[in-house]
Amino acid sequence: MLLPEPQREGKIFLEEAIRKRKSRRRFSVRSLTAAQLSQLIWAAKKIPSAGALYPLELYAVIGKDCVEGADAGVYRCEIGRITLHKPGDLRLELASACLHQMFIAEAPVSFVIAAEYERTTRRYGERGIRYVLMEVGHAGQNIYLQCEALGLGTVAIGAFYDDEVSSVLNLPKMHRPLYVMPVGYAREL
Ligand SMILES: Cc1cc2nc3c(=O)[nH]c(=O)nc-3n(C[C@H](O)[C@H](O)[C@H](O)COP(=O)(O)O)c2cc1C
């Protein structure tokens, strides 16, 4: 599915996004637009990468009626395009795989950032592992800040069973999940 072109200029200053950023763990049922999804993918991908080797793979777990124009499923994300990888609304299964952090199932979309370490370790050896972990931090922070700029919320999730997340998403063996980031309109408590 093609997505609208991401915007290269935003409505709020970077300082405001940094100031407002916090982890949000309550989401309303409101769906996201294809433009919002596109913007978030762009932000997640527009990051520095050691040796420009780009070891990260971005997946989106999209619920039923949760993103304009997209069926429920797991999608592979590129700038301007998502490709269905596994059909079905898998948000509950994903939340269970994340130590039952059930707010994940409330979010219309969860990004799963996975890494193919070998792309970086092939050149940098053992040291490549730390480079990959640094890069996922860049991607995660960009998603946090882009969410704030779009009036959305997210939280970085590191607590999950790797094998379960991999199996829920049907990830290829070499794509190891590092971060899960549920995204939606934040609902204040
Ligand atoms: C590596 C990492 C893993 C995290 N894992 C989780 C998690 O599994 N569940 C969760 O609710 N928050 C998780 N968080 C979010 C932190 O709890 C949160 O960033 C911290 O409490 C500071 O709050 P703030 O983000 O609102 O500033 C994680 C954050 C990081 C950086």
Side-chain angles (χ1 to χ4, degrees):
M1 172 181 162
L2 288 176
L3 298 171
E5 269 287 296
Q7 301 292 309
R8 265 62 173 185
E9 284 175 19
K11 294 191 180 64
I12 73 168
F13 285 113
L14 177 63
E15 293 81 355
E16 190 181 344
I18 293 173
R19 176 169 54 79
K20 284 189 174 161
R21 185 216 63 81
K22 63 176 183 177
S23 296
R24 325 265 182 177
R25 298 181 182 82
R26 290 282 174 276
F27 302 100
S28 80
V29 290
R30 203 170 151 190
S31 60
L32 303 190
T33 64
Q36 287 171 321
L37 183 67
S38 180
Q39 198 64 36
L40 289 159
I41 293 169
W42 173 78
K45 297 265 190 185
K46 197 83 184 65
I47 57 165
S49 177
L53 293 169
Y54 300 101
L56 302 183
E57 289 292 329
L58 186 65
Y59 291 85
V61 176
I62 297 180
K64 184 170 160 19
D65 300 326
C66 283
V67 173
E68 167 203 9
D71 292 333
V74 178
Y75 289 81
R76 287 187 68 162
C77 303
E78 296 160 82
I79 292 176
R81 174 196 299 267
I82 55 173
T83 310
L84 187 63
H85 173 72
K86 178 179 176 180
D89 190 334
L90 294 158
R91 291 178 298 162
L92 267 177
E93 287 85 344
L94 180 63
S96 301
C98 297
L99 279 57
H100 300 276
Q101 300 185 75
M102 297 318 286
F103 55 84
I104 293 169
E106 286 183 356
V109 175
S110 280
F111 287 107
V112 176
I113 310 174
E116 191 174 322
Y117 285 96
E118 291 73 12
R119 285 184 208 158
T120 301
T121 54
R122 209 177 289 135
R123 183 179 303 174
Y124 296 111
E126 279 280 293
R127 199 167 186 85
I129 293 168
R130 78 158 78 177
Y131 292 166
V132 172
L133 300 177
M134 288 166 176
E135 288 180 36
V136 80
H138 295 306
Q141 187 71 0
N142 271 13
I143 292 175
Y144 261 115
L145 294 177
Q146 182 67 77
C147 276
E148 291 301 332
L150 292 171
L152 302 170
T154 190
V155 52
I157 302 289
F160 53 81
Y161 299 110
D162 294 8
D163 291 349
E164 281 190 29
V165 168
S166 296
S167 125
V168 170
L169 272 71
N170 199 19
L171 294 182
K173 221 179 150 79
M174 69 281 190
H175 292 180
R176 306 339 192 291
L178 286 173
Y179 251 163
V180 175
M181 298 192 70
V183 171
Y185 285 91
R187 185 160 58 80
E188 296 304 330
L189 286 178

mmCIF file of all heavy atoms in Angstrom, residues 20-25 98-99 101 103-104 141 144 154-160 178-180, ligand 1:
data_model
loop_
_atom_site.group_PDB
_atom_site.id
_atom_site.type_symbol
_atom_site.label_atom_id
_atom_site.label_comp_id
_atom_site.label_asym_id
_atom_site.label_seq_id
_atom_site.Cartn_x
_atom_site.Cartn_y
_atom_site.Cartn_z
ATOM 1 N N LYS A 20 7.706 18.135 25.686
ATOM 2 C CA LYS A 20 6.437 17.430 25.937
ATOM 3 C C LYS A 20 6.581 15.913 25.969
ATOM 4 O O LYS A 20 5.713 15.213 26.459
ATOM 5 C CB LYS A 20 5.441 17.774 24.825
ATOM 6 C CG LYS A 20 4.840 19.148 24.941
ATOM 7 C CD LYS A 20 3.732 19.229 23.909
ATOM 8 C CE LYS A 20 2.942 20.491 23.979
ATOM 9 N NZ LYS A 20 2.216 20.705 22.712
ATOM 10 N N ARG A 21 7.654 15.405 25.377
ATOM 11 C CA ARG A 21 7.780 13.956 25.254
ATOM 12 C C ARG A 21 7.730 13.257 26.596
ATOM 13 O O ARG A 21 8.417 13.631 27.528
ATOM 14 C CB ARG A 21 9.104 13.588 24.564
ATOM 15 C CG ARG A 21 9.230 12.077 24.290
ATOM 16 C CD ARG A 21 10.645 11.573 24.444
ATOM 17 N NE ARG A 21 11.139 11.730 25.797
ATOM 18 C CZ ARG A 21 10.869 10.888 26.816
ATOM 19 N NH1 ARG A 21 10.161 9.795 26.630
ATOM 20 N NH2 ARG A 21 11.344 11.131 28.031
ATOM 21 N N LYS A 22 6.865 12.307 26.689
ATOM 22 C CA LYS A 22 6.892 11.397 27.826
ATOM 23 C C LYS A 22 6.277 10.086 27.363
ATOM 24 O O LYS A 22 5.666 10.034 26.285
ATOM 25 C CB LYS A 22 6.158 11.976 29.038
ATOM 26 C CG LYS A 22 4.700 12.220 28.852
ATOM 27 C CD LYS A 22 4.077 12.704 30.165
ATOM 28 C CE LYS A 22 2.582 12.881 29.985
ATOM 29 N NZ LYS A 22 1.890 13.276 31.197
ATOM 30 N N SER A 23 6.429 9.065 28.143
ATOM 31 C CA SER A 23 5.881 7.769 27.767
ATOM 32 C C SER A 23 4.388 7.752 28.054
ATOM 33 O O SER A 23 3.958 8.136 29.137
ATOM 34 C CB SER A 23 6.593 6.662 28.547
ATOM 35 O OG SER A 23 7.950 6.629 28.169
ATOM 36 N N ARG A 24 3.615 7.327 27.071
ATOM 37 C CA ARG A 24 2.143 7.286 27.197
ATOM 38 C C ARG A 24 1.709 5.835 27.128
ATOM 39 O O ARG A 24 2.110 5.112 26.215
ATOM 40 C CB ARG A 24 1.479 8.057 26.054
ATOM 41 C CG ARG A 24 2.241 9.286 25.588
ATOM 42 C CD ARG A 24 1.758 10.524 26.241
ATOM 43 N NE ARG A 24 2.500 11.677 25.724
ATOM 44 C CZ ARG A 24 2.245 12.918 26.081
ATOM 45 N NH1 ARG A 24 1.275 13.189 26.934
ATOM 46 N NH2 ARG A 24 2.965 13.911 25.594
ATOM 47 N N ARG A 25 0.882 5.475 28.075
ATOM 48 C CA ARG A 25 0.478 4.062 28.180
ATOM 49 C C ARG A 25 -1.026 3.875 28.165
ATOM 50 O O ARG A 25 -1.524 2.816 28.550
ATOM 51 C CB ARG A 25 1.084 3.439 29.441
ATOM 52 C CG ARG A 25 2.602 3.427 29.454
ATOM 53 C CD ARG A 25 3.177 2.798 30.691
ATOM 54 N NE ARG A 25 4.632 2.835 30.702
ATOM 55 C CZ ARG A 25 5.358 3.868 31.079
ATOM 56 N NH1 ARG A 25 4.757 4.983 31.512
ATOM 57 N NH2 ARG A 25 6.683 3.827 31.035
ATOM 58 N N CYS A 98 4.516 -9.242 25.215
ATOM 59 C CA CYS A 98 5.240 -8.176 25.932
ATOM 60 C C CYS A 98 4.897 -8.239 27.417
ATOM 61 O O CYS A 98 4.523 -7.222 28.028
ATOM 62 C CB CYS A 98 4.912 -6.815 25.346
ATOM 63 S SG CYS A 98 5.432 -6.612 23.644
ATOM 64 N N LEU A 99 4.984 -9.416 27.988
ATOM 65 C CA LEU A 99 4.726 -9.626 29.418
ATOM 66 C C LEU A 99 3.356 -9.083 29.827
ATOM 67 O O LEU A 99 3.192 -8.479 30.872
ATOM 68 C CB LEU A 99 5.831 -8.962 30.260
ATOM 69 C CG LEU A 99 7.146 -9.720 30.431
ATOM 70 C CD1 LEU A 99 7.816 -10.082 29.131
ATOM 71 C CD2 LEU A 99 8.091 -8.941 31.316
ATOM 72 N N GLN A 101 1.631 -6.535 28.892
ATOM 73 C CA GLN A 101 1.440 -5.082 29.039
ATOM 74 C C GLN A 101 0.263 -4.738 28.113
ATOM 75 O O GLN A 101 0.439 -4.404 26.938
ATOM 76 C CB GLN A 101 2.709 -4.333 28.660
ATOM 77 C CG GLN A 101 3.903 -4.726 29.548
ATOM 78 C CD GLN A 101 5.142 -3.897 29.269
ATOM 79 O OE1 GLN A 101 5.239 -2.737 29.661
ATOM 80 N NE2 GLN A 101 6.100 -4.482 28.582
ATOM 81 N N PHE A 103 -1.899 -2.499 27.619
ATOM 82 C CA PHE A 103 -2.159 -1.232 26.920
ATOM 83 C C PHE A 103 -1.668 -1.293 25.466
ATOM 84 O O PHE A 103 -2.134 -0.539 24.611
ATOM 85 C CB PHE A 103 -1.527 -0.042 27.663
ATOM 86 C CG PHE A 103 -0.050 -0.188 27.915
ATOM 87 C CD1 PHE A 103 0.865 0.155 26.935
ATOM 88 C CD2 PHE A 103 0.419 -0.676 29.129
ATOM 89 C CE1 PHE A 103 2.231 0.028 27.161
ATOM 90 C CE2 PHE A 103 1.783 -0.814 29.368
ATOM 91 C CZ PHE A 103 2.689 -0.465 28.380
ATOM 92 N N ILE A 104 -0.753 -2.221 25.199
ATOM 93 C CA ILE A 104 -0.252 -2.368 23.821
ATOM 94 C C ILE A 104 -1.404 -2.763 22.880
ATOM 95 O O ILE A 104 -1.443 -2.327 21.732
ATOM 96 C CB ILE A 104 0.895 -3.403 23.781
ATOM 97 C CG1 ILE A 104 2.104 -2.838 24.541
ATOM 98 C CG2 ILE A 104 1.276 -3.792 22.345
ATOM 99 C CD1 ILE A 104 3.209 -3.846 24.808
ATOM 100 N N GLN A 141 13.824 7.213 19.554
ATOM 101 C CA GLN A 141 13.661 8.617 19.955
ATOM 102 C C GLN A 141 12.955 9.411 18.857
ATOM 103 O O GLN A 141 12.106 10.263 19.154
ATOM 104 C CB GLN A 141 15.030 9.240 20.268
ATOM 105 C CG GLN A 141 14.952 10.642 20.845
ATOM 106 C CD GLN A 141 14.413 10.669 22.274
ATOM 107 O OE1 GLN A 141 14.095 9.636 22.841
ATOM 108 N NE2 GLN A 141 14.292 11.841 22.842
ATOM 109 N N TYR A 144 9.309 8.726 19.212
ATOM 110 C CA TYR A 144 8.771 9.497 20.343
ATOM 111 C C TYR A 144 8.509 10.957 19.933
ATOM 112 O O TYR A 144 7.431 11.505 20.186
ATOM 113 C CB TYR A 144 9.792 9.522 21.487
ATOM 114 C CG TYR A 144 9.604 8.547 22.631
ATOM 115 C CD1 TYR A 144 10.534 7.547 22.877
ATOM 116 C CD2 TYR A 144 8.535 8.670 23.520
ATOM 117 C CE1 TYR A 144 10.405 6.681 23.963
ATOM 118 C CE2 TYR A 144 8.402 7.810 24.611
ATOM 119 C CZ TYR A 144 9.331 6.821 24.821
ATOM 120 O OH TYR A 144 9.188 5.964 25.901
ATOM 121 N N THR A 154 3.430 7.594 22.538
ATOM 122 C CA THR A 154 4.035 6.268 22.421
ATOM 123 C C THR A 154 4.805 5.945 23.689
ATOM 124 O O THR A 154 4.946 6.798 24.582
ATOM 125 C CB THR A 154 4.975 6.190 21.200
ATOM 126 O OG1 THR A 154 5.369 4.824 20.987
ATOM 127 C CG2 THR A 154 6.233 7.044 21.384
ATOM 128 N N VAL A 155 5.280 4.719 23.782
ATOM 129 C CA VAL A 155 6.192 4.314 24.850
ATOM 130 C C VAL A 155 7.127 3.257 24.281
ATOM 131 O O VAL A 155 6.707 2.412 23.486
ATOM 132 C CB VAL A 155 5.424 3.775 26.093
ATOM 133 C CG1 VAL A 155 4.433 2.692 25.737
ATOM 134 C CG2 VAL A 155 6.387 3.259 27.170
ATOM 135 N N ALA A 156 8.387 3.358 24.657
ATOM 136 C CA ALA A 156 9.369 2.370 24.219
ATOM 137 C C ALA A 156 9.225 1.137 25.105
ATOM 138 O O ALA A 156 9.305 1.241 26.325
ATOM 139 C CB ALA A 156 10.773 2.945 24.360
ATOM 140 N N ILE A 157 8.997 0.003 24.492
ATOM 141 C CA ILE A 157 8.847 -1.252 25.238
ATOM 142 C C ILE A 157 10.053 -2.143 24.968
ATOM 143 O O ILE A 157 10.308 -2.524 23.812
ATOM 144 C CB ILE A 157 7.567 -2.008 24.793
ATOM 145 C CG1 ILE A 157 6.313 -1.159 24.974
ATOM 146 C CG2 ILE A 157 7.440 -3.346 25.525
ATOM 147 C CD1 ILE A 157 5.900 -0.931 26.395
ATOM 148 N N GLY A 158 10.774 -2.435 26.044
ATOM 149 C CA GLY A 158 11.916 -3.347 25.921
ATOM 150 C C GLY A 158 11.650 -4.685 26.577
ATOM 151 O O GLY A 158 12.398 -5.639 26.371
ATOM 152 N N ALA A 159 10.578 -4.743 27.391
ATOM 153 C CA ALA A 159 10.273 -5.965 28.129
ATOM 154 C C ALA A 159 9.341 -6.846 27.309
ATOM 155 O O ALA A 159 8.127 -6.584 27.231
ATOM 156 C CB ALA A 159 9.628 -5.618 29.475
ATOM 157 N N PHE A 160 9.882 -7.837 26.670
ATOM 158 C CA PHE A 160 9.065 -8.802 25.924
ATOM 159 C C PHE A 160 9.867 -10.086 25.737
ATOM 160 O O PHE A 160 11.095 -10.095 25.894
ATOM 161 C CB PHE A 160 8.606 -8.249 24.573
ATOM 162 C CG PHE A 160 9.711 -7.705 23.698
ATOM 163 C CD1 PHE A 160 10.504 -8.536 22.926
ATOM 164 C CD2 PHE A 160 9.947 -6.337 23.632
ATOM 165 C CE1 PHE A 160 11.511 -8.028 22.111
ATOM 166 C CE2 PHE A 160 10.964 -5.815 22.821
ATOM 167 C CZ PHE A 160 11.736 -6.657 22.068
ATOM 168 N N LEU A 178 13.877 -5.637 18.788
ATOM 169 C CA LEU A 178 14.572 -4.878 19.839
ATOM 170 C C LEU A 178 13.645 -3.935 20.600
ATOM 171 O O LEU A 178 13.792 -3.761 21.802
ATOM 172 C CB LEU A 178 15.729 -4.086 19.226
ATOM 173 C CG LEU A 178 16.944 -4.918 18.821
ATOM 174 C CD1 LEU A 178 17.954 -4.058 18.072
ATOM 175 C CD2 LEU A 178 17.592 -5.549 20.046
ATOM 176 N N TYR A 179 12.761 -3.296 19.900
ATOM 177 C CA TYR A 179 11.832 -2.352 20.528
ATOM 178 C C TYR A 179 10.430 -2.617 19.987
ATOM 179 O O TYR A 179 10.261 -2.856 18.775
ATOM 180 C CB TYR A 179 12.189 -0.920 20.133
ATOM 181 C CG TYR A 179 12.795 -0.032 21.189
ATOM 182 C CD1 TYR A 179 13.467 1.136 20.805
ATOM 183 C CD2 TYR A 179 12.693 -0.298 22.548
ATOM 184 C CE1 TYR A 179 14.036 1.990 21.734
ATOM 185 C CE2 TYR A 179 13.260 0.552 23.488
ATOM 186 C CZ TYR A 179 13.932 1.691 23.083
ATOM 187 O OH TYR A 179 14.488 2.529 24.007
ATOM 188 N N VAL A 180 9.454 -2.487 20.883
ATOM 189 C CA VAL A 180 8.044 -2.434 20.475
ATOM 190 C C VAL A 180 7.565 -1.049 20.871
ATOM 191 O O VAL A 180 7.824 -0.609 22.002
ATOM 192 C CB VAL A 180 7.221 -3.530 21.199
ATOM 193 C CG1 VAL A 180 5.739 -3.390 20.875
ATOM 194 C CG2 VAL A 180 7.728 -4.925 20.832
HETATM 195 C C1 LIG B 1 15.246 0.474 26.875
HETATM 196 C C2 LIG B 1 13.900 0.870 27.450
HETATM 197 C C3 LIG B 1 12.978 -0.124 27.745
HETATM 198 C C4 LIG B 1 11.716 0.224 28.262
HETATM 199 N N1 LIG B 1 10.789 -0.761 28.446
HETATM 200 C C5 LIG B 1 9.561 -0.418 28.895
HETATM 201 C C6 LIG B 1 8.553 -1.406 29.039
HETATM 202 O O1 LIG B 1 8.749 -2.587 28.759
HETATM 203 N N2 LIG B 1 7.332 -1.009 29.474
HETATM 204 C C7 LIG B 1 7.044 0.289 29.782
HETATM 205 O O2 LIG B 1 5.908 0.574 30.166
HETATM 206 N N3 LIG B 1 7.989 1.259 29.634
HETATM 207 C C8 LIG B 1 9.226 0.943 29.201
HETATM 208 N N4 LIG B 1 10.162 1.930 29.000
HETATM 209 C C9 LIG B 1 9.810 3.332 29.250
HETATM 210 C C10 LIG B 1 10.387 3.855 30.566
HETATM 211 O O3 LIG B 1 9.675 3.280 31.631
HETATM 212 C C11 LIG B 1 10.267 5.396 30.585
HETATM 213 O O4 LIG B 1 10.995 5.946 29.519
HETATM 214 C C12 LIG B 1 10.786 5.967 31.895
HETATM 215 O O5 LIG B 1 9.918 5.596 32.962
HETATM 216 C C13 LIG B 1 10.908 7.501 31.876
HETATM 217 O O6 LIG B 1 9.645 8.103 31.604
HETATM 218 P P1 LIG B 1 9.399 9.049 30.347
HETATM 219 O O7 LIG B 1 9.680 8.262 29.096
HETATM 220 O O8 LIG B 1 7.952 9.446 30.450
HETATM 221 O O9 LIG B 1 10.337 10.221 30.455
HETATM 222 C C14 LIG B 1 11.412 1.592 28.509
HETATM 223 C C15 LIG B 1 12.362 2.582 28.211
HETATM 224 C C16 LIG B 1 13.582 2.233 27.665
HETATM 225 C C17 LIG B 1 14.564 3.319 27.311
#
